């Protein structure tokens, strides 16, 4: 797995690429949580659930179904959560803001197993769970697998962070900059009085 820090890169990049105010802070926070949440399955080790089990590390919580469940939860919270939907600028219709919240959270949650599939170790990710227990890896795996917590602050942990910088953070930063150059922010209306 990439480090828990790097899983936040996708929601942060989407937020940076979006027009100002398009992704409110509460939705950004939900996206960051959704991107990191699949790794809560490391608790399976403490519960003596085998790594290769459907509920072991990189199992069910790394599936596209799990990302869909989080997206539905985000949609429900966006629709019923407050008088003004927590995912929308004031002028955006409620249904559009609900769809935006669901789509954003789905992409953020699905980015987690996709990044994990690009790592150099582990058992792969159960993207198709519960329909298949097969663990998938990407054909190209440039990201070093992150050591677990006790070894994270070691030479191996530093090598992992440098690998993530090279293969995740810098490409996403480049993509955001390119997007902003191609699609500049709309100009603020001028006050003609």
């Amino acid at each position: 797995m990439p480090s828990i820090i790097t899983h936040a890169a996708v929601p942060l990049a989407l937020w940076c690429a979006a027009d100002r105010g398009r992704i409110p802070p509460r939705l950004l926070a939900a996206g960051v949580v959704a991107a990191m949440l699949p790794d809560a399955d490391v608790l399976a080790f403490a519960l003596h659930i085998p790594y290769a089990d459907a509920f072991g590390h990189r199992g069910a919580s790394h599936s596209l179904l799990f990302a869909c469940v989080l997206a539905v939860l985000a949609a429900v919270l966006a629709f019923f959560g407050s008088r003004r939907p927590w995912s929308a600028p004031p002028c955006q219709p409620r249904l559009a803001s609900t769809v935006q919240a669901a789509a954003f959270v789905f992409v953020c949650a699905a980015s987690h197993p996709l990044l994990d599939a690009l790592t150099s170790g582990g058992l792969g990710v159960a993207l198709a769970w519960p329909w298949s227990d097969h663990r998938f890896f990407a054909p190209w795996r440039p990201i070093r697998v992150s050591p677990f917590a006790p070894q994270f602050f070691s030479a191996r942990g530093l090598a992992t962070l440098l690998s993530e910088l090279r293969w995740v953070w810098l490409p996403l930063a480049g993509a955001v900059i390119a997007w902003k150059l191609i699609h500049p922010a709309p100009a603020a209306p001028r006050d003609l009085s």
Side-chain angles (χ1 to χ4, degrees):
M1 69 180 171
S3 66
I4 195 74
I5 300 160
T6 293
H7 284 298
V10 171
L12 291 172
L14 291 171
W15 177 75
C16 288
D19 293 337
R20 184 180 307 225
R22 177 77 180 173
I23 300 173
R26 288 173 62 180
L27 182 57
L28 174 61
V32 168
V33 168
M36 294 177 171
L37 189 59
D39 274 344
D41 67 4
V42 296
L43 295 173
F45 293 124
L47 300 171
H48 304 291
I49 297 172
Y51 191 159
D53 190 84
F55 294 100
H57 184 51
R58 290 189 173 183
S61 68
H62 286 61
S63 68
L64 294 178
L65 176 64
F66 185 76
C68 285
V69 168
L70 292 180
V72 168
L73 179 62
V76 168
L77 289 173
F79 192 79
F80 295 110
S82 66
R83 289 183 302 192
R84 184 180 156 282
W86 58 281
S87 63
C91 61
Q92 190 173 8
R94 184 176 217 114
L95 181 60
S97 67
T98 301
V99 171
Q100 174 189 330
F104 182 73
V105 168
F106 176 80
V107 167
C108 294
S111 73
H112 184 113
L114 296 177
L115 283 173
D116 278 3
L118 291 168
T119 60
S120 62
L123 293 181
V125 293
L127 280 175
W129 181 87
W131 299 279
S132 170
D133 287 333
H134 180 75
R135 299 288 184 109
F136 294 90
F137 267 120
W140 180 58
R141 302 187 332 219
I143 304 170
R144 290 188 60 136
V145 70
S146 178
F148 288 109
Q151 301 160 342
F152 188 74
F153 298 102
S154 65
R156 183 173 164 220
L158 178 60
T160 298
L161 290 174
L162 291 173
S163 170
E164 293 171 355
L165 177 67
R166 178 180 181 190
W167 296 109
V168 181
W169 289 98
L170 290 176
L172 284 173
V176 167
I177 291 167
W179 179 260
K180 289 294 195 178
L181 290 172
I182 294 168
H183 296 92
R190 291 185 180 180
D191 184 15
L192 299 175
S193 51

